[in-house]
Amino acid sequence: MIDGSLLRGEVLARWQDFIGTGDLMRSLESRVGRFRDRLVALVTGRPAPENDLRVALESGVEALIRASADGAA
């Protein structure tokens, strides 16, 4: 504990687990994909796909809340 070797060993093991499972690459691919989608939307003038998803989710949640409120009333 005093020289920090235990901490380094644990951190190193976690890092190797993270790299070994491909979490790092999946994280990078998802970020690159989001950036690419935003760039394409900017160039083409179309809204980014995440905007459509956000609108659909907000609409669905709003409908669910209204239905629950109507049911409770």
Side-chain angles (χ1 to χ4, degrees), residues 57-67:
L57 286 172
E58 287 174 356
S59 174
V61 168
E62 179 184 357
L64 179 64
I65 292 171
R66 286 183 188 268

Side-chain angles (χ1 to χ4, degrees), residues 10-67:
E10 178 67 19
V11 170
L12 181 60
R14 295 289 178 203
W15 174 252
Q16 289 171 340
D17 287 344
F18 180 70
I19 295 296
T21 60
D23 289 340
L24 177 64
M25 290 307 294
R26 268 186 255 131
S27 173
L28 290 174
E29 287 172 355
S30 101
R31 288 181 183 168
V32 168
R34 281 193 303 252
F35 177 73
R36 182 195 61 229
D37 290 344
R38 288 181 184 157
L39 183 62
V40 167
L42 180 67
V43 170
T44 61
R46 288 184 291 154
E50 64 192 30
N51 291 339
D52 294 339
L53 176 61
R54 182 179 301 125
V55 169
L57 286 172
E58 287 174 356
S59 174
V61 168
E62 179 184 357
L64 179 64
I65 292 171
R66 286 183 188 268

